[in-house]
Amino acid sequence: MMPRKHSLSRRARERGVGLVETMVGILIGTIVIIVVYNILWVAENYKRTTLGSSDAQISGLLSQFVAGRDAGNGGAGITMSNGTAAVPSDMINCTMDETGAAASGLAITSLDAAMRPVPVLISDGGALGLSDSFISYNTGAAHVMWPVDFTATSLKTDPTLQVQSPNGFTVPLPSVTPYWVVMMNSIGNCRLLRVTNAVPDPTIPLTGRVTLTKDATMPASVLDYTVALPARLLSLGPVGLASRIRYDVNGVTGVLSTTDLLVTAALNPVPVAQNIVLMKVQYGIDDNEDGIVDCWTPADASTCGNYAPAAVMAAPLSSKVGGVAVAGVTALNKILAVRIGMVVRSDEADLRLLTDPTNTALQSESSGLLFGSRPAVVLFDCSTHNAACQNRVQVPMGAGAPVGAPTCAPSVICDYWRYRTYETVIPLRNALFSATMP
């Protein structure tokens, strides 16, 4: 028989951990989890801040590049010459549609608005904290860059157009890729439509005449246009290459989008970048037409003439009378450049001030994230850094939003968010070149 003392010793060794030991272990584990979680939370906030600033920089650079590229192409292929005394019907004189309605009264997003050769058309947002928008207009014609003459009258019911084309259309035009063209008569009535084919006159010797076929898929109201001589036609190039692109920013989502207005279907905005909280665009005006920018103005009548959209759509090529420019009079030749300023927000709010309140170095570093201690954010500043800078934009800032909220309207700059600004100046070389041609 096993001694009793040995049996008790065995049970004592197999007794295990008691309740007190278990509770102590849980407490220690909880403390470790809290400490580790806090470290991970702080590290994650630092990582988000770094990545958010990097994303804001990428978004700003991308937006600046894309918008600047299209604005710089504004005017490419759009003839702005005055024509001749015999046929003064170049595109600059397209002041009315085919019904006689003034082009300046048309919606700037309509197809008929493409009759006016405005390289870049800016629409003012209406306030410092509201984004402007702009439309860049350029063509993709590879052969005909100047208007060609009609050789025969074309009635509304005629399916074809007869033109004299010494520079040559692509013959034949690919039927799957219609070409945009502008028809212009001698009194300023114009029509934008598409053609789907080009057939040369087979007569020997060659006459250079070309028969263009109207795109029958367009609405009848578009095709119903009688061409009476003298008249001319300008090719804008194939659908997809000719473009009239609008850039605008959604004030709620902060998304910069492009919309091609040179389409017959519903308009389809295409997102370019996010976290664009403000875009301001201004004209560089040469008021005395000497080739040098004299002033910068928003798309309104506040500075050096009226450059609101309707006024620009109605503007003549030049304001010169007797060879001398008239100051304060709107003219397309006076628009030498545009400048674009953007304010870009980080992806995430920087809340480290709240999560690491005992970090004195962090408090000093992040004081600029709060209203009252944040430095002013300014677009289009100059060396004097004050109101003497023509049409500088001091971006509205405030704290009127919950902690970490992405918007604090009507302010643009909100507490706990980081921002970057980007600016670029784009000379409108294409329009200037066209305007100086005979």
Side-chain angles (χ1 to χ4, degrees):
M1 181 175 180
M2 186 75 66
R4 182 176 180 83
K5 180 179 180 181
H6 180 76
S7 177
L8 291 174
S9 176
R10 181 179 180 184
R11 286 199 299 272
R13 288 196 305 270
E14 294 178 352
R15 185 174 57 187
V17 179
L19 178 61
V20 175
E21 291 91 341
T22 301
M23 294 180 65
V24 170
I26 292 173
L27 176 62
I28 294 173
T30 303
I31 293 173
V32 171
I33 290 173
I34 293 174
V35 172
V36 171
Y37 179 79
N38 186 63
I39 294 173
L40 290 176
W41 175 254
V42 172
E44 181 67 17
N45 280 338
Y46 275 91
K47 185 182 77 171
R48 287 185 178 184
T49 299
T50 302
L51 292 177
S53 299
S54 174
D55 289 341
Q57 183 173 2
I58 293 172
S59 296
L61 291 173
L62 172 64
S63 302
Q64 183 186 45
F65 168 76
V66 174
R69 178 198 61 191
D70 275 351
N73 283 332
I78 302 174
T79 298
M80 295 177 65
S81 65
N82 283 320
T84 65
V87 188
S89 58
D90 285 355
M91 198 173 176
I92 188 63
N93 296 312
C94 285
T95 58
M96 299 174 287
D97 66 9
E98 78 288 349
T99 67
S104 58
L106 302 173
I108 62 174
T109 56
S110 67
L111 270 178
D112 280 341
M115 298 182 306
R116 292 291 290 157
V118 181
V120 175
L121 182 66
I122 304 172
S123 294
D124 189 70
L128 291 180
L130 299 178
S131 292
D132 302 334
S133 63
F134 73 91
I135 296 172
S136 173
Y137 185 16
N138 61 83
T139 73
H143 292 264
V144 181
M145 301 297 290
W146 298 94
V148 295
D149 293 322
F150 277 88
T151 60
T153 296
S154 175
L155 302 177
K156 294 180 179 181
T157 55
D158 292 342
T160 61
L161 306 169
Q162 310 292 324
V163 298
Q164 182 77 26
S165 178
N167 295 321
F169 278 88
T170 299
V171 179
L173 293 179
S175 59
V176 295
T177 308
Y179 276 45
W180 287 107
V181 297
V182 178
M183 299 184 297
M184 307 165 281
N185 66 19
S186 59
I187 60 173
N189 294 92
C190 301
R191 162 58 79 188
L192 177 78
L193 79 156
R194 296 191 311 209
V195 297
T196 58
N197 199 14
V199 179
D201 183 358
T203 304
I204 302 296
L206 297 177
T207 63
R209 294 176 182 173
V210 176
T211 299
L212 305 175
T213 303
K214 297 178 182 178
D215 183 357
T217 65
M218 297 196 73
S221 60
V222 174
L223 299 177
D224 289 348
Y225 178 69
T226 296
V227 177
L229 301 181
R232 307 183 84 184
L233 178 144
L234 175 67
S235 172
L236 303 182
V239 171
L241 292 182
S243 63
R244 193 167 181 263
I245 303 294
R246 179 179 62 185
Y247 280 78
D248 58 3
V249 174
N250 186 307
V252 177
T253 63
V255 173
L256 173 67
S257 299
T258 62
T259 305
D260 190 353
L261 306 178
L262 211 58
V263 294
T264 56
L267 300 182
N268 182 32
V270 178
V272 174
Q274 61 183 4
N275 295 323
I276 311 298
V277 294
L278 186 67
M279 179 175 72
K280 304 302 288 185
V281 191
Q282 296 180 358
Y283 289 116
I285 303 300
D286 170 20
D287 207 24
N288 57 6
E289 297 191 45
D290 64 352
I292 300 174
V293 172
D294 302 311
C295 67
W296 293 95
T297 179
D300 56 24
S302 64
T303 310
C304 41
N306 186 358
Y307 285 89
V312 174
M313 289 289 286
L317 181 65
S318 174
S319 70
K320 289 184 178 180
V321 176
V324 179
V326 180
V329 175
T330 307
L332 296 185
N333 266 1
K334 290 185 175 183
I335 303 175
L336 297 192
V338 294
R339 63 181 181 183
I340 303 173
M342 295 185 182
V343 181
V344 187
R345 186 185 62 214
S346 61
D347 275 340
E348 299 282 347
D350 186 350
L351 301 178
R352 293 178 298 161
L353 281 171
L354 303 177
T355 58
D356 195 5
T358 61
N359 189 332
T360 56
L362 177 61
Q363 300 295 321
S364 175
E365 171 201 343
S366 300
S367 62
L369 293 176
L370 300 177
F371 180 69
S373 59
R374 187 195 293 269
V377 178
V378 178
L379 296 174
F380 312 136
D381 207 2
C382 66
S383 58
T384 60
H385 307 297
N386 55 29
C389 304
Q390 194 171 44
N391 284 306
R392 75 197 291 263
V393 177
Q394 183 161 335
V395 182
M397 61 176 61
V403 172
T407 61
C408 54
S411 297
V412 174
I413 306 297
C414 309
D415 278 355
Y416 297 102
W417 293 85
R418 294 185 179 272
Y419 298 86
R420 290 181 179 271
T421 61
Y422 295 87
E423 297 178 21
T424 185
V425 175
I426 304 104
L428 301 181
R429 293 183 294 269
N430 293 307
L432 295 177
F433 175 79
S434 296
T436 57
M437 294 297 289

